[in-house]
Amino acid sequence: MRQDYHPLAWLAWATAAAVVALMTLNPLYLTLLGLAVLASYRVISLRSPTARQWGAFLKAGLLIWAITIPFNALMSHYGRYVLFRLPADWPLIGGAITLEAVAYGFARGLSLVLLLMIFATFNSAVDTARLLRRMPAFLYLAGMITSIALAFVPQMISALQEIREAQRVRGHRFRTIRDLLPLIMPLLTTGLERAMQLAESMEARGFGGSAASISRLLDHTLKGMTLAGLLAVLAGLFARSYWSRQAWIGILLTAGGLLLMAAAFWVQGRRVRRTRYRHDLWLSRDTLMVASSVAAAAGVLIARALNRAALFYYPYPPYSVWPTFDWRLGLLYALFMAPAWLLPSARTAQPDQYPLPREPL
């Protein structure tokens, strides 16, 4: 039986987690969500071959977070709680260093690191090839380009680690900035070799030639429908915002444009021929994971709609530097730990139950 989650379940989890992470700067809720995402990442890292590369990516995010806090504290000198003062004649950084500036930098950096953790967990858990199969047919070219872009970072970090290990075995040590040259040159060469291998493999598999040919008239008609749909959507949005008393005109134009584009995309998608080698099964734990993610995101959205101050956090006066906390919202954020709860332990799983190695693009 499959020992991971369906790609669509992971997509629902990542989307819901990113939405609730962007809705607040409250450090208590962000910390709770970060612990839930970290637990899921730890479980996935025991099974994913690319988790190590994304771990290095997260370390870079933590470094940026560590820089964000003192940077905001040195640049913002407003607040009631003064920690210490720098000479006022120092340009830019001179003045009071306040607790509010430290708290705001902490919350902003935590929000950024949390988004990186969600992104790293999603990419460690989902094979880009499996996700690409779920793309709509008319977006197969954009999906291929996106999957290549997503695979760029872990491949580069993996190559960097391999080069560093080889140089360490040979006794190479970094002392000055000139010692970076033996690291950069092999990294560039490896990147070019992988790009050529990727181009050759794509050409060998007939990339770009899987769409059925159509007449020139139909091709021009589809392009015209897409352009007309986009113009109708733009005109509808403009009409809805400019003539607020006659909003129905904008709604009709927007709906008509969306329908026109949907029809053009549907015809474009029918041109693409696809073959299925292996189907992903949808299991009960996928349903539970999606249900918990949707319930958590919906609960947070409803709480914010009922009380806009429930998730609000701004440490500068006249507001309090101490964040508020509602245990009911805390429980909703804890639901994002579902991937760690529902998946069987990797140590108890049989070796043949692990997912197959990823296929090269």
Side-chain angles (χ1 to χ4, degrees):
M1 181 179 292
R2 179 165 55 84
Q3 294 297 308
D4 56 353
Y5 293 101
H6 197 280
L8 294 182
W10 273 116
L11 184 62
W13 177 87
T15 304
V19 167
V20 299
L22 291 172
M23 290 177 61
T24 184
L25 282 179
N26 189 315
L28 297 179
Y29 294 137
L30 290 181
T31 302
L32 198 56
L33 180 59
L35 292 175
V37 175
L38 182 62
S40 302
Y41 176 77
R42 288 290 301 167
V43 171
I44 295 303
S45 63
L46 299 176
R47 306 162 187 269
S48 172
T50 61
R52 184 184 176 193
Q53 289 82 0
W54 287 107
F57 187 68
L58 288 178
K59 290 178 183 176
L62 292 175
L63 178 62
I64 295 174
W65 184 21
I67 296 173
T68 303
I69 299 173
F71 182 82
N72 192 72
L74 292 173
M75 292 298 166
S76 178
H77 306 285
Y78 182 60
R80 289 187 294 253
Y81 303 97
V82 178
L83 299 176
F84 59 92
R85 293 181 181 276
L86 295 176
D89 55 346
W90 287 11
L92 293 179
I93 63 174
I97 304 300
T98 64
L99 178 62
E100 287 87 344
V102 174
Y104 193 71
F106 177 86
R108 280 290 182 189
L110 180 58
S111 177
L112 175 63
V113 171
L114 187 52
L115 290 176
L116 291 177
M117 288 174 60
I118 296 170
F119 186 71
T121 305
F122 175 74
N123 282 280
S124 299
V126 179
D127 191 341
T128 52
R130 292 172 60 193
L131 188 63
L132 187 62
R133 297 190 194 108
R134 300 291 165 184
M135 294 288 290
F138 68 94
L139 287 177
Y140 77 102
L141 284 175
M144 175 62 76
I145 295 171
T146 304
S147 64
I148 293 173
L150 290 175
F152 171 75
V153 173
Q155 287 181 356
M156 186 186 67
I157 295 176
S158 176
L160 182 64
Q161 291 173 345
E162 291 174 359
I163 295 170
R164 282 286 299 126
E165 291 175 0
Q167 291 180 341
R168 194 177 294 114
V169 170
R170 295 171 183 171
H172 183 270
R173 297 290 182 271
F174 287 102
R175 297 180 180 86
T176 64
I177 195 169
R178 293 182 178 179
D179 295 331
L180 288 176
L181 188 61
L183 178 64
I184 294 175
M185 290 304 295
L187 187 62
L188 290 175
T189 306
T190 305
L192 288 174
E193 289 179 354
R194 288 189 175 181
M196 294 181 66
Q197 291 176 357
L198 176 62
E200 291 173 355
S201 63
M202 290 170 64
E203 184 177 359
R205 296 183 182 188
F207 176 73
S210 57
S213 59
I214 57 175
S215 64
R216 179 174 296 183
L217 177 61
L218 180 57
D219 185 40
H220 291 326
T221 303
L222 293 176
K223 291 178 181 176
M225 289 173 62
T226 306
L227 180 60
L230 281 174
L231 292 176
V233 170
L234 291 175
L237 294 176
F238 175 78
R240 191 173 184 278
S241 59
Y242 194 76
W243 294 293
S244 57
R245 294 184 178 179
Q246 296 177 335
W248 61 272
I249 299 177
I251 294 175
L252 285 179
L253 281 173
T254 305
L258 291 176
L259 288 175
L260 199 59
M261 286 193 296
F265 293 155
W266 181 75
V267 176
Q268 290 277 11
R270 289 178 60 85
R271 296 174 52 202
V272 180
R273 297 186 296 268
R274 282 184 164 181
T275 57
R276 301 283 184 183
Y277 171 67
R278 185 189 305 158
H279 293 272
D280 291 320
L281 298 178
W282 184 272
L283 305 179
S284 58
R285 61 168 174 267
D286 298 319
T287 305
L288 292 175
M289 181 175 166
V290 173
S292 61
S293 302
V294 172
V300 173
L301 287 171
I302 292 173
R304 186 175 183 272
L306 296 176
N307 181 15
R308 295 185 65 85
L311 299 174
F312 180 78
Y313 178 72
Y314 189 71
Y316 293 102
Y319 305 101
S320 173
V321 70
W322 311 112
T324 59
F325 184 78
D326 188 335
W327 63 272
R328 291 166 294 186
L329 282 174
L331 289 178
L332 291 176
Y333 280 94
L335 287 178
F336 287 99
M337 207 181 293
W341 287 336
L342 299 175
L343 206 61
S345 173
R347 293 183 176 86
T348 59
Q350 298 299 322
D352 57 351
Q353 291 178 332
Y354 286 98
L356 294 174
R358 300 184 176 194
E359 300 175 358
L361 291 174

